Amino acid sequence: MIRVANLHKSFHAQKVLNGVNIEFATGKITTIVGTSGCGKTVLLKHLNALLLPDKGEVFVDSVDITTLGQRDLYQIRGKFGVLFQGAALLDSMTVFDNVAFPLREKTKMSESAINKKVPERLEQVGLGEMGHKFPAELSGGMKKRAGLARALIMDPEIVLFDEPTTGLDPVLATSIHQLIARTHADFGFTGIVVSHTIPQVFDISDYVAMLANGVVEEVTPPEIFRASQNPIVQQFIQGKTEGPIQVL
Amino acid sequence: MVSLLSRIGRVALDQIAGMGRLFLFLVAAVFQAFRPPAKIHLIIYHIKTIGVDSLSVVVLSGFFTGMVMGFQGYYSLRKFNAESWLGSATALGLLRELGPVLSAFMVTGRTGSAMAAELGTMRATEQIDALYSMAINPIKYLVSPRIIASLIAMPLLTAIFNVIGIFGSYVVGVGILGVSSGSFFSGMENSVVFHDVYSGVVKSVCFGLIITWICCYKGFNAPPMATGVSQATTESVVLSFVLILVWDYFLTSIML
Ligand SMILES: Nc1ncnc2c1ncn2[C@@H]1O[C@H](COP(=O)(O)OP(=O)(O)O)[C@@H](O)[C@H]1O
Ligand SMILES: [Mg+2]
């Protein structure tokens, strides 16, 4: 289980997170929604200590990771797979090598086993023929899928998805959602998804959380979220500029 | 008055903290370089990129520097009727001073700026975060191999610069100005001692370290946006140039 308690984070004078409290249920998919720039990526990066808070705690399996030293941190990070907003593939290597990278660096798996496992995973995300290409030669959607394959290659317990479908066409977005749902069914990871693609993303979510004005407003199952009387939630779902969310 | 003082104090503290981070970055990179497993394939790859990328500019600038030294040296030495010492003057100037410094400038411009831009882009596109999230130390993976590679490649490039420079001076002095070929080389042989070669090598190794250290640091810590990358590139080149000259002064003064 992951629990975030009273998390505060500022960059210079800008307050981004202002006392976030949230629990992510083990084995479930929780989706975080919120306006662009409200701090979703910043919140996500606190979960595996890519960023450290100004104040507050992050518990992963009841260990407060904000106080860990380097060595323990690397161990905790091993539990996570991360799909970054821009996929963040290493552009000096091919798609195949990118997906194989964690296996080569972090396991003693033989090259022949890698040559079997990686094409399998690339096939799963529909990139069976693309292994030899470099990231610069791929479209945005292909990069996201390659990033997904890399995020899942180590069979992590927890997977963070930062806007897996932003900027993709509706068909591709649905296929990515299906991919997340299918791999979740196969591997049973704890999924944390940041997304704007509402309402489609609700179909794969067990819980939805709303981040606004630096705090988490609501953590509920999607049906209840949609019917929520919370004015912030209603403003976001209906896409209005008037309301309690401060639009920059 | 108080606010002015506090502002000066804040700027000073920021500067000192910045220097501390710069130094700790080097300590971390050196520490990671000695921790197994060694990234031999990455080191070889970077020796190749540093060496091959910079080879053409080093050859070209070395040749012209040597030719200029041929003319200038001839002009000065003729006032003392000592044209026959042209070979010696060129070789000492190149080996001890101009070879290491100018080839370091060339490598900074060609490879150092590219390093800063590459790491800055990796920061901006979250590739460095991706390495952290895969529990891979990006300093060990990205910085240490580049530093080791530069320690090896830089003296080799400097040696090439020196040889080409001496050849350029020979072309001008012997080919155009009519210094005798025999005195050009015998003067060189008589006056150049091992210490001259050694001090040049020490300098080039230090400059190689300075270049990769500064350029990797600036790129690694670039603000995550396009302007951040260009700013990091510019700053890395300027700071490398300055530090090379400052360090050159210290090395020259202790190794004279
Ligand atoms: N490394 C950083 N340095 C300075 N400001 C940052 C940094 N990362 C994020 N921010 C700021 O924090 C705010 C939230 O960013 P982010 O979490 O990326 O938004 P989003 O919810 O769209 O993912 C933005 O205003 C951004 O400018
Ligand atoms: Mg974001």
Side-chain angles (χ1 to χ4, degrees):
Chain A
M1 193 196 57
I2 303 176
R3 186 160 67 85
V4 175
N6 195 28
L7 197 69
H8 288 258
K9 181 71 177 181
S10 308
F11 292 105
H12 308 293
Q14 181 195 6
K15 268 199 161 308
V16 179
L17 301 181
N18 204 358
V20 170
N21 290 291
I22 184 171
E23 274 186 37
F24 299 97
T26 305
K28 304 286 186 197
I29 295 184
T30 306
T31 297
I32 302 171
V33 299
T35 50
S36 293
C38 75
K40 302 181 297 296
T41 300
V42 171
L43 175 57
L44 220 50
K45 285 188 178 172
H46 279 88
L47 300 181
N48 62 348
L50 290 180
L51 289 173
L52 288 177
D54 301 333
K55 203 175 119 193
E57 292 103 42
V58 178
F59 295 94
V60 176
D61 297 336
S62 59
V63 179
D64 180 5
I65 64 166
T66 59
T67 59
L68 293 182
Q70 284 292 324
R71 186 168 312 208
D72 297 325
L73 259 186
Y74 279 108
Q75 202 177 346
I76 288 279
R77 285 188 186 132
K79 297 183 188 219
F80 286 82
V82 186
L83 170 58
F84 285 88
Q85 199 162 343
L89 300 170
L90 300 174
D91 38 37
S92 57
M93 40 175 102
T94 62
V95 169
F96 182 99
D97 291 336
N98 261 289
V99 177
F101 187 68
L103 295 175
R104 287 184 180 144
E105 293 289 326
K106 289 280 134 192
T107 68
K108 297 202 160 45
M109 195 180 251
S110 69
E111 272 306 301
S112 63
I114 289 176
N115 280 327
K116 206 165 141 315
K117 183 164 184 176
V118 172
E120 249 173 54
R121 295 302 180 88
L122 283 175
E123 197 66 51
Q124 267 186 347
V125 297
L127 292 176
E129 307 294 308
M130 297 290 165
H132 63 284
K133 296 222 175 189
F134 282 89
E137 300 166 334
L138 300 185
S139 72
M142 290 171 170
K143 278 187 213 170
K144 288 246 163 99
R145 285 184 276 163
L148 192 58
R150 185 180 67 181
L152 296 174
I153 193 78
M154 300 284 279
D155 303 328
E157 293 170 37
I158 306 156
V159 187
L160 311 177
F161 303 89
D162 196 353
E163 306 202 11
T165 53
T166 302
L168 304 186
D169 63 74
V171 178
L172 205 51
T174 308
S175 86
I176 295 258
H177 282 153
Q178 285 171 354
L179 201 59
I180 294 175
R182 201 170 66 228
T183 46
H184 180 251
D186 290 349
F187 301 113
F189 51 74
T190 303
I192 300 170
V193 183
V194 163
S195 181
H196 297 295
T197 317
I198 56 169
Q200 290 88 337
V201 70
F202 293 162
D203 296 342
I204 62 162
S205 311
D206 295 300
Y207 298 98
V208 180
M210 170 96 208
L211 183 65
N213 306 331
V215 292
V216 166
E217 281 293 333
E218 194 119 342
V219 193
T220 58
E223 319 80 66
I224 301 177
F225 186 82
R226 285 166 122 165
S228 166
Q229 291 307 305
N230 188 329
I232 292 183
V233 173
Q234 280 310 316
Q235 184 195 349
F236 183 76
I237 290 179
Q238 293 168 15
K240 291 193 206 146
T241 52
E242 306 282 304
I245 303 176
Q246 294 148 21
V247 185
L248 303 173
Chain B
M1 190 64 202
V2 173
S3 88
L4 180 70
L5 271 180
S6 77
R7 201 172 315 153
I8 294 172
R10 187 144 3 108
V11 170
L13 283 179
D14 278 354
Q15 291 295 326
I16 292 170
M19 280 187 235
R21 279 194 296 272
L22 185 63
F23 186 69
L24 286 178
F25 184 79
L26 179 65
V27 172
V30 171
F31 177 69
Q32 291 296 340
F34 285 106
R35 266 184 77 182
K39 301 272 175 216
I40 304 288
H41 62 287
L42 286 177
I43 296 172
I44 293 172
Y45 172 80
H46 288 299
I47 292 177
K48 188 182 132 251
T49 47
I50 295 172
V52 173
D53 276 3
S54 301
L55 189 60
S56 52
V57 282
V58 163
V59 166
L60 207 60
S61 57
F63 189 60
F64 280 95
T65 306
M67 293 206 296
V68 169
M69 289 182 81
F71 275 117
Q72 278 297 334
Y74 182 82
Y75 177 80
S76 313
L77 290 170
R78 209 178 52 168
K79 303 203 163 176
F80 311 102
N81 283 326
E83 302 96 298
S84 56
W85 287 98
L86 183 62
S88 147
T90 313
L92 285 177
L94 278 172
L95 286 172
R96 297 187 60 105
E97 204 56 51
L98 285 176
V101 171
L102 289 183
S103 42
F105 281 1
M106 293 302 139
V107 171
T108 306
R110 184 66 187 80
T111 314
S113 60
M115 262 179 213
E118 192 182 342
L119 293 190
T121 307
M122 293 188 76
R123 167 67 74 188
T125 56
E126 296 184 307
Q127 292 176 53
I128 290 180
D129 279 338
L131 287 172
Y132 276 120
S133 77
M134 289 185 276
I136 290 160
N137 188 328
I139 292 190
K140 179 171 181 66
Y141 188 78
L142 297 172
V143 179
S144 301
R146 283 177 164 85
I147 287 189
I148 297 174
S150 73
L151 297 184
I152 298 168
M154 199 62 227
L156 296 177
L157 285 169
T158 304
I160 292 171
F161 186 100
N162 291 338
V163 170
I164 303 272
I166 290 169
F167 175 69
S169 165
Y170 179 85
V171 167
V172 167
V174 176
I176 301 177
L177 300 172
V179 176
S180 95
S181 172
S183 66
F184 186 91
F185 282 114
S186 70
M188 201 185 296
E189 202 179 327
N190 288 332
S191 63
V192 175
V193 293
F194 176 73
H195 184 74
D196 301 321
V197 180
Y198 169 78
S199 73
V201 171
V202 170
K203 278 185 182 179
S204 66
V205 170
C206 292
F207 297 161
L209 180 67
I210 289 175
I211 294 166
T212 33
W213 170 28
I214 300 298
C215 295
C216 286
Y217 175 81
K218 288 286 178 187
F220 200 86
N221 295 295
M225 47 197 131
T227 50
V229 176
S230 62
Q231 188 191 333
T233 312
T234 316
E235 280 177 6
S236 67
V237 171
V238 173
L239 187 57
S240 298
F241 278 6
V242 172
L243 282 183
I244 285 168
L245 290 175
V246 170
W247 199 240
D248 185 45
Y249 170 79
F250 282 116
L251 285 178
T252 307
S253 63
I254 48 179
M255 292 200 302
L256 200 62

